[in-house]
Amino acid sequence: MWNGEIETLCREQMREIQTERLKSVVRRCYEKVPHYREAFDSFGVHPDDIRSLDDLVKLPFTCKNDLRDHYPFDLFAAPKRDIVRVHASSGTTGKPIAVGYTHADIELWAECVARSLACAGVTSDDIIQIAYGYGLFTGGLGLHYGAEKLGATVVPISGGNTKRQVMLMRDFGVTTLACTPSFGAYLAEEMKDSGIPEEDFKLRVGIFGAEPWSQSMRREIESKLNLCAIDIYGLTEILGPGVSCECPYQCGLHVFEDHFLPEIIDPDTEEPLPEGEIGELVFTTLTKEAAPVIRFRTRDLSRLYYEPCACGRTLVRMERILGRTDDMLIIRGVNVFPSQVEAVLLSVGDVDPHYQLIADRSARHMDDLEIRVEMSEALFNDEIRKIEDVEVHIRKEIESTLGISVKVKLVEPKTLPRSEGKAKRVVDRREL
Ligand code: ADP
Ligand code: ZN
């Protein structure tokens, strides 16, 4: 473990640390950020009212829109001269948001990523290819500083350029690959096409995150890339990658809760949910200086459990992200997440992990959902009859999982768009 002492603290001691830090971040926000002062005042809550973790519920939530409204720098709690870096979210869902970091924040980030990598089983002997985008996106630089802190050898290749990625992976004897799961799947394809013998690659660990992926996708990537695929989670508003990460037991992501205090709420009533229930993840940053956030609503769905893990860590674990509320399609009143579809597609077989969900509205104002997925090379070379059978089989499986009728279309290998960052799985053509 990178920080064994913290990662194995008993719950009581962890709560003590969190309580002290919570009090201090609440005060800091109230004193330094006009938005928080106004929000607290209008909620009738004052920093003096926060005495224990149970008082957290007295505080107002912060939403993505609050960050947009104060774009770019109005939520900063540190003077401009102390800000050493800014990042912005990829803006997949509208106007970007910007966050700042002080020296101490950058250090904290490197610590959390070093912990994540150590948690994943990466050591200073590893060579890590960082194929997350470098730039305003937090993925590349976030992983970078943490990997250096851990002492691994960093190959800062950034995203794109798949042929070069594959060549360097072989030439440098890369052991650890960090990128989005969809780019991982794309690279696997490119590696196969390169004709380089499998045994020339030395990969053993994959650090995959930044987008939802299913357990079946994990198994697919693990067998194609011949590595242990680890899930890492984070978001720009809270830090970037390194908020939580899995260990090789792959049974939930360990949240670095001495820095990021998680809650699960019912997204409709906004009430906290009991342990183990699925709801929206909410985070309060406990130690960040430049851009602290109080009760940030992530729109990501997950659940929390507090039992210690077989790896020895006592940190609270969050389940892999089940979907994100703004990725969810509502088809004829039924909630559909791309990850549910993905799980079915890959468990049925005969298809590759490249798919899209296309929602449309017919002339009779009915919602239609079409699922396009690439068939495997083997199936493509098989008889039409076989292809039709697989199509029907997939349709039935998806219909029984989702409980709605869908169309399924198997398309030729390598015809759907490939992603070098976050995959775009949903195309919604309905005018809602
Ligand atoms: P954007 O909202 O523009 O995509 P970010 O780059 O900050 O901005 O992305 C953060 C979001 O990415 C998270 O809120 C979550 O929805 C998704 N994400 C990050 N890591 C994971 C992961 N391991 N599994 C599923 N989703 C993830
Ligand atoms: Zn563990």
Side-chain angles (χ1 to χ4, degrees):
M1 288 183 209
W2 182 253
N3 191 335
E5 199 186 320
I6 290 286
E7 295 177 64
T8 59
L9 273 188
C10 69
R11 295 251 36 102
E12 203 173 309
Q13 283 173 307
M14 180 57 80
R15 283 178 71 92
E16 264 171 43
I17 293 181
Q18 289 171 327
T19 308
E20 285 319 302
R21 292 182 173 176
L22 176 66
K23 287 188 206 165
S24 119
V25 72
V26 166
R27 193 164 297 282
R28 183 179 175 89
C29 286
Y30 191 79
E31 284 167 3
K32 312 260 184 206
V33 186
H35 163 76
Y36 283 115
R37 178 180 290 256
E38 283 159 31
F40 290 8
D41 285 348
S42 72
F43 239 64
V45 58
H46 186 269
D48 292 341
D49 300 330
I50 307 303
R51 290 185 213 95
S52 78
L53 292 185
D54 297 334
D55 295 324
L56 188 59
V57 296
K58 297 179 180 163
L59 294 164
F61 291 106
T62 307
C63 298
K64 202 153 187 140
N65 272 341
D66 294 316
L67 275 84
R68 290 197 177 119
D69 293 347
H70 295 88
Y71 175 83
F73 300 154
D74 287 352
L75 289 184
F76 287 7
K80 272 227 180 80
R81 99 179 74 86
D82 292 344
I83 309 288
V84 298
R85 171 110 60 90
V86 285
H87 278 281
S89 92
S90 52
T92 30
T93 57
K95 191 172 149 187
I97 56 102
V99 295
Y101 302 77
T102 63
H103 270 300
D105 293 334
I106 296 285
E107 182 49 39
L108 156 77
W109 195 4
E111 155 84 18
C112 290
V113 171
R115 280 192 205 175
S116 301
L117 293 172
C119 188
V122 180
T123 72
S124 54
D125 291 327
D126 280 296
I127 303 185
I128 178 168
Q129 181 153 335
I130 301 181
Y132 286 109
Y134 276 66
L136 283 174
F137 175 55
T138 52
L141 285 165
L143 260 292
H144 185 101
Y145 280 65
E148 281 191 352
K149 191 173 174 79
L150 180 77
T153 308
V154 174
V155 183
I157 190 166
S158 192
N161 213 337
T162 47
K163 289 205 165 52
R164 190 142 188 256
Q165 299 263 4
V166 171
M167 183 185 86
L168 295 188
M169 207 183 283
R170 190 227 5 224
D171 295 352
F172 294 177
V174 168
T175 58
T176 307
L177 172 66
C179 62
T180 59
S182 53
F183 193 46
Y186 184 12
L187 285 175
E189 199 171 67
E190 198 66 42
M191 282 158 75
K192 189 155 167 261
D193 291 353
S194 72
I196 300 174
E198 255 177 58
E199 57 279 12
D200 285 9
F201 295 105
K202 299 285 176 281
L203 288 178
R204 54 175 212 94
V205 186
I207 307 290
F208 299 113
E211 64 185 6
W213 51 315
S214 63
Q215 185 68 9
S216 335
M217 178 71 125
R218 183 204 315 259
R219 296 295 167 234
E220 176 101 16
I221 293 179
E222 287 188 325
S223 82
K224 288 195 168 153
L225 288 174
N226 194 20
L227 46 64
C228 171
I230 294 290
D231 195 358
I232 187 169
Y233 171 85
L235 61 169
T236 313
E237 294 86 342
I238 299 301
L239 178 78
V243 171
S244 64
C245 189
E246 278 181 336
C247 68
Y249 287 94
Q250 301 179 325
C251 55
L253 293 84
H254 296 281
V255 180
F256 301 116
E257 56 174 321
D258 50 324
H259 297 295
F260 314 105
L261 182 62
E263 299 171 81
I264 295 283
I265 61 161
D266 178 324
D268 299 322
T269 66
E270 300 189 335
E271 290 297 320
L273 289 173
E275 178 177 344
E277 286 196 21
I278 296 178
E280 179 177 346
L281 255 178
V282 170
F283 280 105
T284 299
T285 65
L286 295 175
T287 48
K288 268 208 325 182
E289 290 182 346
V293 271
I294 304 292
R295 302 192 85 197
F296 180 72
R297 293 188 57 168
T298 62
R299 305 193 200 176
D300 293 325
L301 297 173
S302 179
R303 67 175 126 204
L304 298 174
Y305 24 93
Y306 289 86
E307 313 89 66
C309 177
C311 73
R313 288 179 179 79
T314 52
L315 299 167
V316 61
R317 278 171 290 154
M318 54 181 258
E319 186 166 343
R320 59 159 64 264
I321 300 294
L322 303 162
R324 113 177 195 169
T325 51
D326 45 20
D327 231 18
M328 183 182 79
L329 278 167
I330 304 181
I331 304 289
R332 282 166 258 142
V334 175
N335 299 349
V336 175
F337 289 101
S339 50
Q340 289 174 294
V341 172
E342 177 182 295
V344 178
L345 290 176
L346 299 182
S347 63
V348 169
D350 288 321
V351 295
D352 281 334
H354 306 288
Y355 65 95
Q356 267 187 336
L357 277 64
I358 298 167
D360 214 335
R361 185 157 281 181
S362 71
R364 285 163 39 233
H365 300 291
M366 282 286 288
D367 290 341
D368 289 325
L369 179 62
E370 179 175 289
I371 291 145
R372 289 193 190 159
V373 57
E374 287 181 12
M375 54 192 128
S376 64
E377 285 289 345
L379 181 62
F380 183 54
N381 293 319
D382 213 319
E383 292 168 24
I384 292 280
R385 209 24 224 291
K386 174 79 200 296
I387 296 175
E388 285 168 357
D389 285 350
V390 172
E391 220 164 47
V392 171
H393 180 49
I394 291 180
R395 178 169 59 74
K396 287 191 174 149
E397 289 293 316
I398 290 180
E399 288 182 345
S400 89
T401 303
L402 300 182
I404 52 167
S405 60
V406 298
K407 282 186 208 154
V408 170
K409 193 163 161 192
L410 295 183
V411 299
E412 283 181 33
K414 303 191 182 144
T415 49
L416 291 178
R418 293 290 182 268
S419 126
E420 296 177 344
K422 296 182 191 240
K424 186 164 166 40
R425 304 289 192 195
V426 174
V427 180
D428 198 341
R429 297 194 179 133
R430 298 171 297 177
E431 283 171 19
L432 299 176

